[in-house]
Amino acid sequence: MTKRKIHITDVILRDAHQSLIATRLRTEDMLPACEWLDQAGYWSLECWGGATFDACVRFLKEDPWERLRTLREALPNTRLQMLLRGQNLLGYRHYGDDVVGAFVAKAAENGMDVFRIFDALNDVRNLETSIKAVKKAGKHAQGTICYTVSPVHNTDAYLEQAKAMADMGADSIAIKDMAGLLTPGVTAELVGKLKDTLDLPVFLHSHATSGMAPMCQWAAMEAGVDHIDTALSAFAGGTSHPPTESLVAALHDAGFDTGLNLELLDKATRYFREVRKKYHQFESEYNGVDTSVLLSQVPGGMMSNLANQLKEQGALDRIQNVFEEIPRVRKDLGYPPLVTPTSQIVGTQAVINVLAGKRYESITNEVKKYLQGWYGKAPAAVDQELQRRAVGKEDLIEERPANLIPHELDELRKQVGDLATAEEDVLTYAMFPDQARAYLEQRRDGTLEPEPLEPIPAKGTGGPVDTKFKITVHGESYDIHVTGANPVSDGERRFYMTVDGVPEEIHLASLSDGNEGGGKSGGRASATKEGHVTTSMPGNIVDVLVKEGDQVEAGDPVLIIEAMKMETEVKATISGSVKGVFIAKGDRVVPGEVLVDIE
Ligand code: MN
């Protein structure tokens, strides 16, 4: 019996650690396994994407382009694959067509072979420019269907999308199931229709979150799928992907063959199992099967990010409320699939709605832009009243959003100036301006330093440290629940906890090295009356829009805060005159503080 070849893409170097350890795997910890990975027989290795690029610059202080070149050299026999957000590239906004062209060309030049290109709204107009650029570079352009479940999504609609991408020149079609929502039945139907209609290879990328992915993989193979994504078992399961080795073994007595060498996979996976321990502080709590995703539809990467973000807000206990709010926000926005950047847009707005205790009291700038049409066409009609409120008197956008974005590379080059020593640096700056600037300055000054890794806990010391306890001070008792902590920086450490159920941020600063106690944020009075403008989330002040003496109307934006990678306008709580402004651009603020006083 001739066996049909099933090609495997391993996501160990990108999606797997993104889903399980907040994208923190360092290049130095990838390299020792590369020889095994390169010889195992993979069709491709996914190794680059928005979150890996971001984490490199923001936390690891690595040059993401250098990572790509290093992996290219370490993996000479295997295709390298990346995930590209269409006109968003790896950032959180739409770029001018010239930036898209330059980014794809540089990625190809530095060693990328396969570009999996998607748009969060499945609006194919947002894929046009990048597919064209990949073809121009002579590389593999993969058109992607972001799979989601909603009253307006069905297999015929996905088939139409796939045809449109084929017409644009896509070399293959990927089904991207971010949240593990695919069922075996739908998988068989969708793969069958794609294979019957198009003469292109079909890839399946299905997350293990809900526990259905291995069944979907099997159904897909029976329906004619050509490629399947898996993760080495050391980083498989949970919100990551089904294990590579299990699939290889499962096919032994069946009509399919992966061609992968199980012994080499075993070596690599044993290595990664040890390496994973180094990153214990970033472990997602969602590393088992979680069937609540079937209702919340929250994809893997988003789940661990949300958990981390809520931890930082000292509000991890609200995660269930956030999961309940997400489907409601999603409906209001016309059922976008939940994938970057819509997952952040929907997720952050849901967090704000929950923490503020009132829905859409503040609306993030991204939700406003989304409702205006800057991200493309929503799959279904959006909530008209919300749209009117968010967009105000400005025009709605009907055409391909990038048509309205002028070429911007020259301007970006000017902005970053001498800090860029190569065109790649300009593109890094284009993706994440603030983080890239900090990175490039530190590189210039020779002060690059990755965020610290906490030591691996010794075995046999009694398991995890207690995070819940009672303290008694001056005769008063408090229930403390520590929900998160930042590493020490500038002699100061920040803890997030609830005290009798109320979220608090606590700063510990050492007095012995000259620091006076207290933190850099805080020190402001607590909000006690209606005219006290405060925030529902800790964050940084991006802009202050009022000054003392200004007259404001209730609902007027008075400041812009950045929290969880999103900018949000904070609005005047009442109409009146501004009596005091207690913040400046760049300040760190926490909930409950008076930021602006209106009377
Ligand atoms: Mn994924």
Side-chain angles (χ1 to χ4, degrees):
M1 180 176 74
T2 21
K3 296 190 166 195
R4 192 162 74 76
K5 182 81 178 268
I6 301 290
H7 302 280
I8 302 296
T9 293
D10 207 300
V11 299
I12 180 82
L13 303 180
R14 202 281 297 177
D15 204 355
H17 69 98
Q18 179 175 335
S19 298
L20 295 174
I21 54 163
T23 333
R24 294 310 212 281
L25 193 62
R26 300 173 182 199
T27 305
E28 65 191 41
D29 286 331
M30 299 175 180
L31 291 176
C34 280
E35 205 180 323
W36 300 315
L37 294 177
D38 196 36
Q39 289 168 8
Y42 289 116
W43 187 82
S44 69
L45 285 160
E46 192 194 38
C47 63
W48 232 44
T52 45
F53 201 98
D54 186 354
C56 274
V57 176
R58 190 185 295 260
F59 303 118
L60 310 181
K61 302 302 175 184
E62 287 185 27
D63 181 348
W65 299 94
E66 184 60 36
R67 171 180 288 191
L68 174 55
R69 290 188 290 270
T70 305
L71 289 174
R72 174 72 290 162
E73 207 167 300
L75 298 159
N77 302 303
T78 310
R79 290 176 193 85
L80 298 185
Q81 182 169 327
M82 79 172 293
L83 186 62
L84 191 78
R85 302 170 192 150
Q87 203 72 24
N88 275 202
L89 295 171
L90 303 181
Y92 298 102
R93 66 172 177 94
H94 277 200
Y95 291 95
D97 286 334
D98 62 335
V99 179
V100 175
F103 190 93
V104 168
K106 276 292 170 196
E109 193 184 309
N110 281 278
M112 196 53 68
D113 300 300
V114 182
F115 294 75
R116 175 173 290 168
I117 310 170
F118 76 94
D119 176 66
L121 298 177
N122 285 326
D123 183 342
V124 294
R125 299 172 306 170
N126 293 332
L127 306 178
E128 254 171 51
T129 305
S130 37
I131 290 181
K132 225 180 269 170
V134 173
K135 299 307 296 172
K136 192 177 164 203
K139 302 295 182 181
H140 184 115
Q142 185 168 96
T144 305
I145 295 164
C146 292
Y147 180 76
T148 191
V149 176
S150 88
V152 296
H153 289 92
N154 56 58
T155 53
D156 284 331
Y158 290 131
L159 184 63
E160 287 310 309
Q161 186 198 344
K163 282 189 210 160
M165 296 189 293
D167 289 343
M168 286 177 181
D171 297 298
S172 59
I173 302 294
I175 303 165
K176 176 177 166 65
D177 174 24
M178 306 76 73
L181 295 173
L182 265 176
T183 61
V186 171
T187 308
E189 184 184 319
L190 181 54
V191 171
K193 279 183 181 173
L194 290 170
K195 290 307 293 179
D196 284 348
T197 314
L198 298 170
D199 193 20
L200 291 178
V202 174
F203 288 60
L204 177 67
H205 174 94
S206 185
H207 281 259
T209 319
S210 72
M212 292 194 289
M215 296 182 256
C216 294
Q217 292 180 339
W218 194 265
M221 288 187 288
E222 290 193 324
V225 87
D226 307 278
H227 293 252
I228 286 182
D229 285 13
T230 58
L232 279 173
S233 61
F235 277 94
T239 51
S240 176
H241 290 255
T244 313
E245 303 95 301
S246 313
L247 184 67
V248 174
L251 298 198
H252 266 317
D253 304 312
F256 314 103
D257 183 25
T258 60
L260 287 178
N261 180 321
L262 206 47
E263 266 112 58
L264 287 172
L265 298 185
D266 186 56
K267 281 186 182 148
T269 215
R270 272 189 284 144
Y271 164 78
F272 279 118
R273 206 173 291 145
E274 281 307 305
V275 156
R276 184 168 171 175
K277 293 177 186 164
K278 270 176 72 173
Y279 296 94
H280 61 94
Q281 80 210 71
F282 302 111
E283 283 285 345
S284 161
E285 306 206 351
Y286 296 87
N287 55 12
V289 170
D290 181 3
T291 49
S292 72
V293 69
L294 299 172
L295 295 175
S296 72
Q297 308 189 339
V298 175
M302 182 180 176
M303 187 111 67
S304 53
N305 275 336
L306 268 181
N308 271 333
Q309 288 165 347
L310 281 169
K311 233 186 243 177
E312 284 182 14
Q313 319 291 323
L316 193 58
D317 55 325
R318 306 298 299 277
I319 199 159
Q320 205 48 46
N321 302 102
V322 172
F323 283 165
E324 284 158 21
E325 176 65 5
I326 285 170
R328 293 196 285 260
V329 173
R330 190 170 166 247
K331 177 168 184 281
D332 297 337
L333 300 189
Y335 297 108
L338 292 180
V339 63
T340 308
T342 45
S343 54
Q344 273 83 346
I345 295 172
V346 171
T348 305
Q349 188 62 54
V351 168
I352 290 171
N353 286 357
V354 166
L355 294 187
K358 194 172 163 200
R359 306 188 71 219
Y360 303 114
E361 190 173 54
S362 51
I363 296 172
T364 66
N365 287 346
E366 279 74 10
V367 165
K368 176 194 163 183
K369 281 191 216 148
Y370 174 97
L371 289 169
Q372 196 166 10
W374 278 110
Y375 286 89
K377 194 175 180 324
V382 303
D383 186 282
Q384 300 260 309
E385 201 251 309
L386 177 63
Q387 186 182 40
R388 250 196 313 276
R389 258 180 58 204
V391 178
K393 295 188 191 74
E394 292 172 39
D395 288 335
L396 298 181
I397 291 157
E398 307 281 352
E399 62 189 302
R400 185 184 78 109
N403 288 351
L404 302 168
I405 305 174
H407 281 196
E408 53 181 332
L409 254 183
D410 286 340
E411 175 57 27
L412 289 163
R413 282 195 198 103
K414 230 176 283 166
Q415 283 176 18
V416 70
D418 287 349
L419 282 175
T421 56
E423 185 77 352
E424 282 84 346
D425 294 335
V426 178
L427 295 165
T428 304
Y429 173 75
M431 296 305 108
F432 305 101
D434 295 343
Q435 300 298 335
R437 182 174 288 282
Y439 168 85
L440 294 171
E441 281 170 359
Q442 289 160 12
R443 187 181 69 180
R444 178 196 60 199
D445 302 341
T447 57
L448 284 176
E449 208 174 312
E451 67 181 341
L453 291 174
E454 287 173 9
I456 299 172
K459 272 189 187 141
T461 52
V465 179
D466 263 354
T467 54
K468 286 186 182 175
F469 41 88
K470 190 182 278 295
I471 61 166
T472 306
V473 183
H474 300 316
E476 296 271 355
S477 287
Y478 304 93
D479 283 327
I480 307 288
H481 180 193
V482 179
T483 51
N486 280 352
V488 178
S489 98
D490 292 338
E492 173 191 296
R493 189 157 194 205
R494 209 171 268 162
F495 287 87
Y496 304 96
M497 57 186 74
T498 60
V499 178
D500 289 340
V502 179
E504 297 279 358
E505 197 183 69
I506 311 264
H507 298 252
L508 292 187
S510 167
L511 293 173
S512 57
D513 58 7
N515 273 305
E516 300 290 333
K520 284 191 214 90
S521 72
R524 297 180 192 91
S526 295
T528 50
K529 55 176 189 131
E530 218 193 334
H532 284 160
V533 177
T534 183
T535 162
S536 46
M537 292 171 302
N540 295 309
I541 301 295
V542 178
D543 209 355
V544 182
L545 308 172
V546 293
K547 54 184 191 317
E548 234 175 279
D550 283 357
Q551 290 295 319
V552 293
E553 294 287 319
D556 283 355
V558 292
L559 57 100
I560 297 174
I561 182 175
E562 194 247 86
M564 302 186 292
K565 295 190 202 163
M566 293 280 157
E567 292 184 358
T568 308
E569 286 176 348
V570 176
K571 300 196 162 123
T573 39
I574 56 169
S575 303
S577 83
V578 175
K579 291 289 171 211
V581 175
F582 307 107
I583 32 134
K585 214 169 151 173
D587 279 2
R588 171 120 189 124
V589 296
V590 297
E593 294 179 335
V594 182
L595 308 180
V596 174
D597 183 12
I598 304 168
E599 256 179 38

